[in-house]
């Protein structure tokens, strides 16, 4: 099954799964795909993907949503704007969405025809970001968008944290939710609040918000690795 394959795949040093592995993956989901995901604060991509604008990077859908996310202020404990952004996204995509008392967001995408029997998979990311800036930079994290730019093979922010932790995880989940060609079972995307300063969203998640059998946490502190485990 797709989840098991993703959990056991070893990502190479350029953070791109091999051609042979992706052929296997593509056969599993019924389409050709091209992914390159790194959940680090600075985003590295292969030399053949160098572009002049964030939106020109591939896979296009993920970078499109990441670029949009960087325009939304989202400090910890002040996620109102990014939550509204997610609610508007769900409405535009005609997807079911709900918010719990802790203000976590869950967006559900039903299975495509023929995949109704597959177990529900949860994609989880957090809304908030680490908000740090250089001493000579004037930036209000509660009001100002992140100013991004490309430096060689890296995507960076000018004088501030980029927010790829966990904006790129959010973008990956949104890209899956928005994909009209992907064949899949039922998907739930869980976006939690206040991960950076207390895991408030994770601890306060209300019972019944999610009901999937498997969960993929789209956040990591180690490059080129996928972790398999459970905290409880």
């Amino acid at each position: 099954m797709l989840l098991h394959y993703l959990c056991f795949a070893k990502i190479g040093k350029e953070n791109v799964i091999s051609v042979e592995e992706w052929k296997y993956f593509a056969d599993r989901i019924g389409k050709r795909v091209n992914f390159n995901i790194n959940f680090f604060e600075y985003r590295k991509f292969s030399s053949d993907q160098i572009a002049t604008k964030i939106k020109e990077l591939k896979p296009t859908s993920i970078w499109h949503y990441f670029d949009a996310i960087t325009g939304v202020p989202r400090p910890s404990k002040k996620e109102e704007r990014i939550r509204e952004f997610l609610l508007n996204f769900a409405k535009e995509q005609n997807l079911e969405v709900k918010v719990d008392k802790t203000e976590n967001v869950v967006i559900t995408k039903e299975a495509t025809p023929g995949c109704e029997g597959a177990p529900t998979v949860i994609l989880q990311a957090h809304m908030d970001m680490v908000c740090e800036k250089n001493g000579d930079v004037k930036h209000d994290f509660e009001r100002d968008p992140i100013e991004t730019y490309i430096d060689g093979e890296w995507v960076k922010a000018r004088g501030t944290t980029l927010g790829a932790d966990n904006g790129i995880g959010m973008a990956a989940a949104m890209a899956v939710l928005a994909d009209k060609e992907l064949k899949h079972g039922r998907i739930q995307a869980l976006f939690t609040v206040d991960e950076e300063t207390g895991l408030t969203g994770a601890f306060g998640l209300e019972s019944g918000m999610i009901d999937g059998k498997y969960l993929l946490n789209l956040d990591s502190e180690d490059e080129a690795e996928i972790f398999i485990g459970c905290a409880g």
Side-chain angles (χ1 to χ4, degrees), residues 5 10 32 48 102 136 173 180 184 189:
Y5 179 71
K10 178 65 175 178
R32 293 291 173 183
D48 62 348
T102 311
D136 60 345
K180 306 302 183 186
H184 57 83

Side-chain angles (χ1 to χ4, degrees), residues 9-227:
K10 178 65 175 178
I11 300 178
K13 65 179 181 179
E14 276 294 311
N15 217 26
V16 181
I17 293 177
S18 70
V19 173
E20 291 75 17
E21 289 174 319
W22 274 119
K23 285 181 179 178
Y24 176 87
F25 177 68
D27 289 340
R28 294 301 238 196
I29 64 173
K31 63 177 292 188
R32 293 291 173 183
V33 292
N34 178 18
F35 251 37
N36 180 14
I37 301 178
N38 179 343
F39 299 115
F40 272 34
E41 196 68 12
Y42 288 100
R43 308 279 302 135
K44 193 171 188 224
F45 48 92
S46 302
S47 58
D48 62 348
Q49 293 179 313
I50 294 177
T52 58
K53 298 180 181 178
I54 304 299
K55 290 182 179 181
E56 294 178 3
L57 300 177
K58 296 180 180 180
T60 307
S61 183
I62 290 180
W63 287 106
H64 164 78
Y65 287 114
F66 179 73
D67 182 65
I69 288 167
T70 61
V72 184
R74 50 193 178 93
S76 300
K77 293 183 170 64
K78 297 181 179 180
E79 296 95 344
E80 295 84 2
R81 293 187 181 183
I82 192 66
R83 184 165 42 254
E84 182 181 2
F85 171 81
L86 290 170
L87 296 178
N88 288 335
F89 165 81
K91 182 178 180 181
E92 292 170 359
Q93 297 295 326
N94 295 313
L95 298 173
E96 175 189 340
V97 62
K98 53 186 177 181
V99 182
D100 68 6
K101 292 180 180 179
T102 311
E103 299 188 321
N104 297 306
V105 174
V106 174
I107 302 175
T108 301
K109 185 178 185 182
E110 296 300 329
T112 52
C115 298
E116 295 87 350
T120 298
V121 174
I122 302 163
L123 306 176
Q124 189 269 322
H126 63 85
M127 295 182 235
D128 58 321
M129 64 172 282
V130 173
C131 296
E132 296 291 342
K133 62 182 178 180
N134 294 338
D136 60 345
V137 173
K138 293 182 179 181
H139 184 93
D140 185 346
F141 283 100
E142 295 184 29
R143 298 174 59 88
D144 300 335
I146 301 298
E147 185 179 351
T148 60
Y149 69 101
I150 295 177
D151 180 12
E153 295 183 344
W154 299 84
V155 174
K156 298 183 179 181
R158 297 191 185 280
T160 70
T161 42
L162 176 61
D165 174 12
N166 190 220
I168 200 67
M170 293 180 63
M174 293 174 71
V176 171
L177 292 172
D179 195 319
K180 306 302 183 186
E181 299 180 9
L182 185 67
K183 295 184 182 298
H184 57 83
R186 185 167 173 266
I187 297 170
Q188 291 181 313
L190 167 62
F191 302 96
T192 56
V193 298
D194 192 28
E195 188 270 355
E196 300 292 355
T197 62
L199 291 170
T200 304
F203 285 122
L205 181 64
E206 288 186 22
S207 176
M209 283 288 285
I210 53 176
D211 54 24
K213 186 174 183 180
Y214 300 105
L215 184 146
L216 295 177
N217 174 249
L218 306 181
D219 195 0
S220 177
E221 294 182 359
D222 294 277
E223 185 176 11
E225 295 182 358
I226 291 179
F227 293 92

